[in-house]
Amino acid sequence: MRELYRGWPDQLIKALENWNKVELDVDPRTIVICGMGGSGIVGDYARAIAYSKGFDKPIIVVKDYTLPSFVNENDLVIVISYSGSTIETIKCFEEAIKRKCRTYIIASNGILEERASETSTPFLKVSKGLVPRVALPEMLVTLIGILNKVKEIMSKDEAFKCSVFIKENMKAIENRAKYIAEQLYAKIPIILTYEKYAPLAWRIKNELNENAKIPSKVEILPEWGHHDIVGWENPISPGIWHGLLVKDPEDINTSKLIDFANYLLSEKGVRSTSMELRGDNFFEKIIYGSLLAGFTSISLADLYGVDPLVTQSIAKYKGVIKSILS
Ligand code: F6R
């Protein structure tokens, strides 16, 4: 699994091949991105990156088996599923076809690949043989290739630069991850960051869930200061928690807010560790943070003696939702 994460610099470049295949002859009113789990988070990332670059259309991320009521033929619906066989995502695709939306599919395989040819839907293939959460860079850069046709948000150069940056920092990221994992061992992580990095915080949580098989909690500032903060007036088992502070050192005001949250938690007996984001721009920082989270969750899986690859409970859930929806 570790080796798969080490392949991220190559994934960033590989995905650029898909950019040459993208054709889009419409100017959509809204972009709706549908996907679940490791594929769904790709929509959150793409939206955050697009808005960091001044993208001027609404982007809605749907992690459900039904589309919002307003979605119609004026909208572009992009469905992403690494396996191509996730029931919720397939349902959204079928609904998009019924509503005559412009559609796009990103998958490596599966039912959606078949449906693409049956319905003449443009299809962008990502590499087989990975697991969805590890395919983040390839799915993300592929998706950005579609958004670029609406308004350019990233150049090939930026993807190349990020690939070099990640490659050069691989060893340092793995070492830092090992340290963070040691701090988190036998604790329930509270991942704390601010709104701009919320998708990364959710991604960190998901990685800890799926690879290390532990629960964790996400808190986002400034919203944190309007409810969760009160929960610490009556802290239950403070020793069980450990704060993971996701910080962009260049963002002074928000770093000050995180310092305040850290101060408050430490007063209640909760210790914390920082996860500082490195990189020249937002894209590099979230790829860096995601890789650091990936390696942290793998190191934590090693400490717990669990297999990071296997996700039995997801398979169980997929059986249940399939029988409910079909
Ligand atoms: C992540 C993972 C899950 C899946 C999710 C949806 O590695 O295994 O979160 O991403 O169950 O499946 P796909 O991505 O195949 O649509």
Side-chain angles (χ1 to χ4, degrees):
M1 189 97 177
R2 213 177 269 282
E3 221 27 69
L4 294 178
Y5 283 97
R6 289 185 184 133
W8 277 25
D10 297 336
Q11 278 195 39
L12 288 163
I13 306 301
K14 171 90 182 33
L16 294 175
E17 291 169 17
N18 275 331
W19 285 19
N20 306 327
K21 300 174 193 152
V22 183
E23 280 171 26
L24 194 68
D25 55 1
V26 286
D27 185 24
R29 177 184 61 165
T30 303
I31 292 103
V32 182
I33 306 171
C34 309
M36 303 301 298
S39 300
I41 198 82
V42 175
D44 296 324
Y45 273 39
R47 181 177 55 188
I49 293 162
Y51 289 147
S52 78
K53 293 290 191 89
F55 196 79
D56 53 7
K57 285 183 190 287
I59 299 177
I60 314 281
V61 180
V62 175
K63 297 178 182 176
D64 197 359
Y65 46 81
T66 180
L67 295 174
S69 57
F70 74 86
V71 176
N72 67 20
E73 70 275 7
N74 298 313
D75 303 310
L76 170 66
V77 176
I78 307 170
V79 297
I80 310 184
S81 166
Y82 182 74
S83 63
S85 296
T86 296
I87 186 87
E88 295 95 322
T89 315
I90 295 170
K91 290 274 177 197
C92 285
F93 172 73
E94 301 299 355
E95 210 173 311
I97 293 286
K98 263 194 213 137
R99 295 196 206 175
K100 301 191 177 1
C101 307
R102 195 53 72 111
T103 48
Y104 239 103
I105 297 176
I106 299 174
S108 70
N109 206 345
I111 295 169
L112 283 170
E113 184 170 16
E114 289 165 21
R115 294 295 289 134
S117 63
E118 287 159 8
T119 56
S120 306
T121 300
F123 176 71
L124 295 175
K125 197 174 176 73
V126 290
S127 305
K128 281 187 190 169
L130 303 170
V131 281
R133 56 193 173 281
V134 174
L136 173 82
E138 197 175 333
M139 290 196 282
L140 176 61
V141 174
T142 296
L143 173 58
I144 289 173
I146 305 176
L147 298 181
N148 267 349
K149 292 283 174 186
V150 180
K151 183 180 176 190
E152 176 155 338
I153 55 170
M154 207 175 101
S155 67
K156 285 192 174 178
D157 268 4
E158 283 174 274
F160 277 113
K161 234 188 104 257
C162 182
S163 167
V164 172
F165 165 70
I166 292 297
K167 201 178 264 174
E168 285 174 354
N169 284 282
M170 190 68 73
K171 199 79 228 134
I173 296 173
E174 288 190 52
N175 288 339
R176 179 71 189 158
K178 205 161 165 275
Y179 171 79
I180 296 173
E182 282 158 8
Q183 308 311 302
L184 294 180
Y185 180 69
K187 302 282 178 186
I188 300 176
I190 310 171
I191 302 145
L192 213 110
T193 193
Y194 36 93
E195 196 55 43
K196 186 176 171 188
Y197 289 104
L200 175 59
W202 288 108
R203 167 76 184 188
I204 296 169
K205 174 197 166 288
N206 299 345
E207 291 285 81
L208 293 170
N209 296 154
E210 291 186 59
N211 289 337
K213 276 77 182 163
I214 57 163
S216 62
K217 161 177 156 84
V218 170
E219 288 300 334
I220 308 293
L221 284 150
E223 183 66 9
W224 169 87
H226 297 269
H227 45 76
D228 189 74
I229 188 171
V230 187
W232 294 99
E233 289 176 13
N234 176 26
I236 296 165
S237 308
I240 197 73
W241 303 98
H242 191 94
L244 188 58
L245 313 173
V246 181
K247 272 187 185 178
D248 179 347
E250 287 172 73
D251 205 331
I252 305 297
N253 281 348
T254 42
S255 289
K256 280 185 191 162
L257 274 177
I258 291 190
D259 289 343
F260 167 65
N262 183 28
Y263 164 75
L264 193 126
L265 289 176
S266 66
E267 258 197 328
K268 304 294 172 184
V270 178
R271 293 189 51 236
S272 294
T273 301
S274 283
M275 201 182 235
E276 291 208 343
L277 301 175
R278 305 203 188 286
D280 271 353
N281 52 51
F282 183 62
F283 180 70
E284 287 185 8
K285 283 175 185 166
I286 60 164
I287 293 292
Y288 173 95
S290 305
L291 189 56
L292 184 53
F295 282 129
T296 299
S297 60
I298 299 283
S299 293
L300 204 46
D302 289 345
L303 292 174
Y304 284 121
V306 295
D307 182 351
L309 193 61
V310 187
T311 48
Q312 277 171 353
S313 308
I314 295 179
K316 203 175 187 179
Y317 162 78
K318 285 190 175 180
V320 171
I321 182 115
K322 206 167 183 175
S323 69
I324 294 171
L325 295 184
S326 50

Coordinates of all heavy atoms in Angstrom, one line a residue, residues 1 5 34-41 80-90 106-108 112 130-135 139 203 206-207 210-211 308-311 314-315 317-318, ligand 1:
M1 N 0.8 -1.2 0.0 CA 0.0 0.0 0.0 C 0.9 1.3 0.0 O 0.6 2.2 -0.7 CB -0.9 0.0 1.2 CG -1.9 1.0 1.3 SD -3.5 0.4 0.7 CE -4.6 1.8 0.9
Y5 N 1.1 4.7 -2.6 CA 1.2 6.2 -2.3 C 2.5 6.8 -2.9 O 2.4 8.0 -3.3 CB 1.1 6.4 -0.8 CG -0.2 6.3 -0.2 CD1 -0.7 5.1 0.4 CD2 -1.2 7.3 -0.3 CE1 -1.9 5.0 0.9 CE2 -2.4 7.2 0.3 CZ -2.8 6.0 0.9 OH -4.1 5.9 1.4
C34 N -20.7 14.0 -8.9 CA -21.3 13.0 -8.1 C -20.3 11.9 -7.8 O -19.6 11.4 -8.7 CB -22.5 12.3 -8.7 SG -23.7 13.4 -9.3
G35 N -20.2 11.4 -6.6 CA -19.3 10.3 -6.2 C -19.3 10.1 -4.7 O -19.8 10.9 -4.0
M36 N -18.8 8.9 -4.3 CA -18.9 8.5 -2.9 C -17.5 8.2 -2.5 O -16.6 7.8 -3.2 CB -19.7 7.3 -2.8 CG -21.2 7.4 -3.3 SD -22.2 8.7 -2.5 CE -22.2 8.2 -0.8
G37 N -17.2 8.3 -1.2 CA -16.0 7.9 -0.5 C -14.8 8.5 -1.2 O -14.7 9.7 -1.4
G38 N -13.8 7.7 -1.5 CA -12.5 8.1 -2.1 C -12.7 8.7 -3.4 O -11.8 9.5 -3.9
S39 N -13.8 8.5 -4.1 CA -14.1 9.2 -5.4 C -14.9 10.5 -5.1 O -14.7 11.5 -5.8 CB -14.9 8.3 -6.3 OG -14.2 7.1 -6.6
G40 N -15.7 10.5 -4.1 CA -16.5 11.7 -3.8 C -15.7 12.8 -3.4 O -15.9 14.0 -3.7
I41 N -14.6 12.5 -2.6 CA -13.8 13.6 -2.1 C -13.1 14.4 -3.2 O -12.7 15.5 -3.1 CB -12.8 13.0 -1.0 CG1 -12.2 14.1 -0.1 CG2 -11.7 12.3 -1.7 CD1 -13.0 14.5 1.0
I80 N -18.1 10.3 -10.8 CA -16.8 9.7 -10.6 C -16.9 8.5 -9.7 O -17.5 8.6 -8.6 CB -15.8 10.7 -9.9 CG1 -15.8 12.0 -10.5 CG2 -14.4 10.1 -9.8 CD1 -14.8 13.0 -9.9
S81 N -16.4 7.4 -10.2 CA -16.4 6.2 -9.3 C -15.2 5.4 -9.7 O -15.1 4.9 -10.9 CB -17.7 5.4 -9.5 OG -17.5 4.1 -8.9
Y82 N -14.2 5.2 -8.8 CA -13.0 4.5 -9.2 C -13.4 3.1 -9.7 O -12.9 2.7 -10.8 CB -12.0 4.4 -8.0 CG -10.8 3.7 -8.5 CD1 -9.9 4.3 -9.3 CD2 -10.6 2.3 -8.2 CE1 -8.8 3.6 -9.8 CE2 -9.5 1.6 -8.7 CZ -8.6 2.3 -9.5 OH -7.5 1.6 -10.0
S83 N -14.2 2.4 -9.0 CA -14.6 1.0 -9.5 C -15.5 1.1 -10.6 O -15.6 0.1 -11.4 CB -15.2 0.2 -8.3 OG -16.4 0.9 -7.9
G84 N -16.3 2.1 -10.7 CA -17.3 2.3 -11.8 C -18.6 1.5 -11.4 O -19.5 1.4 -12.2
S85 N -18.7 1.0 -10.2 CA -19.8 0.1 -9.8 C -20.5 0.5 -8.5 O -21.1 -0.3 -7.9 CB -19.4 -1.3 -9.8 OG -19.0 -1.7 -11.1
T86 N -20.3 1.8 -8.1 CA -20.9 2.2 -6.8 C -22.3 2.6 -7.1 O -22.6 3.5 -7.9 CB -20.1 3.4 -6.2 OG1 -18.8 2.8 -5.9 CG2 -20.7 4.0 -5.0
I87 N -23.2 2.0 -6.3 CA -24.7 2.1 -6.6 C -25.2 3.5 -6.6 O -25.9 4.0 -7.4 CB -25.5 1.1 -5.7 CG1 -27.0 1.1 -6.1 CG2 -25.3 1.4 -4.2 CD1 -27.3 0.1 -7.2
E88 N -24.8 4.3 -5.5 CA -25.3 5.7 -5.4 C -24.9 6.5 -6.6 O -25.7 7.2 -7.2 CB -24.7 6.3 -4.2 CG -25.1 5.7 -2.8 CD -24.0 4.7 -2.3 OE1 -23.5 4.0 -3.1 OE2 -23.8 4.7 -1.1
T89 N -23.6 6.3 -7.1 CA -23.1 7.1 -8.2 C -23.8 6.6 -9.5 O -24.2 7.5 -10.4 CB -21.6 6.9 -8.3 OG1 -21.0 7.0 -7.0 CG2 -20.9 7.9 -9.2
I90 N -24.1 5.3 -9.7 CA -24.8 4.9 -10.9 C -26.2 5.4 -10.9 O -26.7 5.9 -11.9 CB -24.8 3.3 -10.9 CG1 -23.4 2.8 -11.0 CG2 -25.7 2.8 -12.0 CD1 -23.3 1.2 -10.8
I106 N -16.0 9.4 -15.1 CA -14.6 9.1 -14.8 C -14.6 7.8 -14.0 O -15.3 7.7 -12.9 CB -13.9 10.2 -13.9 CG1 -13.9 11.6 -14.7 CG2 -12.5 9.8 -13.6 CD1 -13.4 12.7 -13.9
A107 N -13.9 6.8 -14.4 CA -13.9 5.5 -13.7 C -12.7 4.7 -14.3 O -12.1 5.1 -15.3 CB -15.2 4.7 -13.9
S108 N -12.4 3.6 -13.6 CA -11.3 2.7 -14.1 C -11.9 1.5 -14.8 O -11.2 0.8 -15.5 CB -10.4 2.3 -12.9 OG -11.1 1.4 -12.1
L112 N -20.2 1.6 -14.9 CA -20.2 2.9 -15.5 C -19.5 3.0 -16.9 O -19.8 3.7 -17.8 CB -19.7 4.0 -14.6 CG -20.7 4.4 -13.5 CD1 -20.0 5.3 -12.4 CD2 -21.9 5.1 -14.0
L130 N -5.4 0.1 -8.7 CA -5.2 0.8 -7.5 C -6.3 0.6 -6.5 O -7.2 -0.2 -6.8 CB -5.1 2.3 -7.8 CG -4.0 2.7 -8.8 CD1 -4.2 4.2 -9.3 CD2 -2.6 2.5 -8.3
V131 N -6.4 1.3 -5.4 CA -7.6 1.3 -4.6 C -8.1 2.8 -4.7 O -7.3 3.7 -4.9 CB -7.4 0.9 -3.1 CG1 -7.4 -0.6 -3.0 CG2 -6.2 1.6 -2.5
P132 N -9.5 3.0 -4.6 CA -10.0 4.3 -4.8 C -9.3 5.5 -4.1 O -8.9 6.5 -4.7 CB -11.4 4.2 -4.4 CG -11.8 2.8 -4.4 CD -10.5 2.0 -4.2
R133 N -9.0 5.3 -2.8 CA -8.4 6.4 -2.0 C -7.0 6.7 -2.5 O -6.5 7.8 -2.4 CB -8.5 6.1 -0.5 CG -7.8 4.8 -0.1 CD -8.2 4.5 1.3 NE -7.8 3.2 1.8 CZ -8.4 2.0 1.6 NH1 -9.4 2.0 0.8 NH2 -7.9 0.9 2.1
V134 N -6.3 5.7 -3.1 CA -4.9 5.9 -3.5 C -4.9 6.6 -4.9 O -4.0 7.2 -5.3 CB -4.1 4.6 -3.5 CG1 -2.8 4.8 -4.1 CG2 -4.0 4.1 -2.1
A135 N -6.1 6.5 -5.6 CA -6.1 7.0 -7.0 C -6.5 8.5 -7.0 O -6.8 9.1 -8.0 CB -7.1 6.3 -7.8
M139 N -7.5 10.8 -10.4 CA -8.9 11.2 -10.5 C -9.1 12.7 -10.5 O -9.8 13.3 -11.3 CB -9.8 10.5 -9.5 CG -9.9 9.0 -9.7 SD -11.3 8.3 -8.7 CE -10.6 8.2 -7.1
R203 N -10.7 14.4 4.2 CA -9.8 13.3 3.6 C -9.0 12.7 4.7 O -8.8 11.4 4.7 CB -9.0 14.0 2.5 CG -7.8 13.1 2.0 CD -8.3 12.0 1.0 NE -7.2 11.2 0.7 CZ -7.2 10.3 -0.3 NH1 -8.3 10.0 -0.9 NH2 -6.2 9.5 -0.5
N206 N -11.1 10.3 6.6 CA -11.4 9.1 5.8 C -10.2 8.2 5.7 O -10.3 6.9 5.8 CB -11.8 9.5 4.4 CG -13.1 10.3 4.4 OD1 -13.8 10.4 5.4 ND2 -13.4 11.0 3.3
E207 N -9.0 8.7 5.6 CA -7.8 7.9 5.5 C -7.5 7.2 6.8 O -7.2 6.0 6.8 CB -6.6 8.8 5.2 CG -6.6 9.3 3.8 CD -6.2 8.3 2.7 OE1 -7.1 7.5 2.4 OE2 -5.1 8.2 2.3
E210 N -10.2 4.4 7.0 CA -10.1 3.2 6.1 C -8.7 2.5 6.2 O -8.7 1.3 6.1 CB -10.3 3.7 4.6 CG -11.7 4.1 4.4 CD -12.0 4.4 2.9 OE1 -11.8 3.5 2.1 OE2 -12.4 5.5 2.6
N211 N -7.7 3.2 6.4 CA -6.4 2.5 6.5 C -6.0 2.1 7.9 O -5.6 1.0 8.1 CB -5.2 3.5 6.0 CG -5.3 3.7 4.5 OD1 -5.9 2.8 3.8 ND2 -4.8 4.8 4.0
P308 N -4.0 -2.2 6.1 CA -4.6 -0.9 5.6 C -5.4 -1.1 4.3 O -6.4 -0.3 4.1 CB -3.4 0.0 5.3 CG -2.2 -0.9 5.2 CD -2.5 -2.1 6.0
L309 N -5.2 -2.2 3.6 CA -5.8 -2.3 2.3 C -7.3 -2.8 2.4 O -8.1 -2.3 1.7 CB -5.0 -3.4 1.5 CG -5.3 -3.5 0.0 CD1 -5.0 -2.2 -0.7 CD2 -4.4 -4.6 -0.6
V310 N -7.5 -3.7 3.3 CA -8.9 -4.3 3.4 C -9.9 -3.4 4.1 O -9.6 -2.9 5.1 CB -8.8 -5.6 4.1 CG1 -10.1 -6.4 4.1 CG2 -7.6 -6.5 3.6
T311 N -11.0 -3.3 3.4 CA -12.1 -2.5 4.1 C -13.4 -3.3 4.1 O -14.3 -3.0 3.3 CB -12.3 -1.1 3.3 OG1 -12.4 -1.4 1.9 CG2 -11.2 -0.1 3.5
I314 N -17.0 -1.7 4.4 CA -17.5 -1.0 3.3 C -18.2 -2.0 2.3 O -19.3 -1.7 1.8 CB -16.4 -0.2 2.5 CG1 -15.9 1.0 3.4 CG2 -17.0 0.4 1.2 CD1 -14.8 1.8 2.7
A315 N -17.5 -3.1 2.2 CA -18.2 -4.2 1.3 C -19.5 -4.6 1.9 O -20.5 -4.8 1.2 CB -17.2 -5.4 1.3
Y317 N -21.5 -2.7 3.8 CA -22.4 -1.6 3.6 C -22.9 -1.6 2.1 O -24.1 -1.4 1.9 CB -21.7 -0.3 3.9 CG -22.5 0.9 3.3 CD1 -23.6 1.4 3.8 CD2 -22.1 1.4 2.0 CE1 -24.3 2.4 3.2 CE2 -22.7 2.5 1.4 CZ -23.9 2.9 2.0 OH -24.6 3.9 1.4
K318 N -22.0 -1.9 1.2 CA -22.4 -1.9 -0.2 C -23.4 -2.9 -0.5 O -24.3 -2.7 -1.4 CB -21.2 -2.0 -1.1 CG -20.3 -0.7 -1.2 CD -19.2 -0.7 -2.2 CE -18.6 0.6 -2.3 NZ -17.5 0.7 -3.2
Ligands
F6R1 C1 -11.7 4.4 -0.8 C2 -12.7 3.4 -0.7 C3 -14.1 3.9 -0.7 C4 -14.7 4.0 -2.1 C5 -16.2 4.2 -2.0 C6 -16.8 4.4 -3.4 O1 -10.4 3.8 -1.0 O2 -12.4 2.3 -0.9 O3 -14.3 5.1 0.1 O4 -14.1 5.1 -2.7 O5 -16.8 3.0 -1.5 O6 -16.3 3.4 -4.3 P1 -15.8 4.0 -5.7 O7 -14.7 4.9 -5.4 O8 -15.2 2.7 -6.4 O9 -16.9 4.6 -6.4

